[in-house]
Amino acid sequence: MQIVNKPDPPTGLRRKLWRLPIRLYRTGLGPLMGRRIMLLTHIGRVSGRPRQAVIEVIEHGEHGYVAASGFGPRADWYQNVMKTPNVTIQIGGRALPVTATPLTADEGANIMARYAPRHPAAARRLCRIMGFAVDGSAEDYREVGRHVPFVQFTPRPGRTPET
């Protein structure tokens, strides 16, 4: 694994394109996004106002959902959920109140190593977007996972994730 560059979060037209799926969710077309894309509603750490981001579900199961901050710890959504971890996610047509918890670098490494063989094209594309060059080996993906912040979104008591 090689770090090629550290991309900045998108701005201008690129930002508008990245945020286009939010409009789909807002118009009730969230189910078209499938189960690998979630709408995250969180509180701005500076403004205190609700904010939204669409992020990929890397893994889901009995403990909730896991996502990666592709733009690293500088991503607004990541900084916001670290400050105010009680957030809401929507996957398809289902909204779920959850608590966001950062995962360790080792947990991130294991998650990325599991994700890559299940979604090889998406894993390569994700690594490229995040500024990593990988050779496709499990160890390369593990190393990427050590450098990317992962967040677990755990349903708050009384709720269970969709499996």
Side-chain angles (χ1 to χ4, degrees):
M1 188 274 316
Q2 179 182 9
I3 300 173
V4 179
N5 65 15
K6 285 289 190 183
D8 291 322
T11 58
L13 179 60
R14 233 175 110 218
R15 178 178 162 89
K16 288 184 188 290
L17 292 173
W18 275 85
R19 295 182 59 79
L20 190 58
I22 293 172
R23 290 195 181 279
L24 291 174
Y25 269 103
R26 287 180 180 166
T27 59
L29 298 174
L32 294 178
M33 301 303 299
R35 294 176 64 194
R36 287 187 46 206
I37 304 295
M38 73 173 150
L39 176 67
L40 168 66
T41 302
H42 51 97
I43 301 299
R45 67 193 175 284
V46 175
S47 70
R49 294 176 30 198
R51 301 289 182 209
Q52 292 183 314
V54 173
I55 52 181
E56 182 181 3
V57 174
I58 300 295
E59 199 171 79
H60 72 278
E62 65 182 71
H63 299 294
Y65 298 84
V66 175
S69 178
F71 294 106
R74 297 176 301 161
D76 284 331
W77 76 261
Y78 181 80
Q79 291 181 39
N80 290 343
V81 303
M82 291 300 101
K83 182 171 184 199
T84 307
N86 285 339
V87 299
T88 301
I89 61 173
Q90 183 177 341
I91 299 173
R94 184 169 182 237
L96 192 63
V98 295
T99 300
T101 308
L103 297 178
T104 68
D106 286 340
E107 289 170 317
N110 291 334
I111 289 166
M112 196 66 190
R114 287 191 303 266
Y115 174 80
R118 286 192 323 254
H119 306 286
R124 283 191 303 277
R125 189 172 49 254
L126 183 62
C127 287
R128 190 170 46 252
I129 290 169
M130 294 185 301
F132 298 102
V134 294
D135 63 13
S137 70
E139 192 48 46
D140 254 15
Y141 285 115
R142 279 185 202 289
E143 193 59 30
V144 167
R146 287 183 184 96
H147 287 85
V148 175
F150 283 83
V151 178
Q152 171 121 12
F153 296 94
T154 306
R156 292 203 286 277
R159 304 295 182 124
T160 56
E162 163 186 314
T163 54

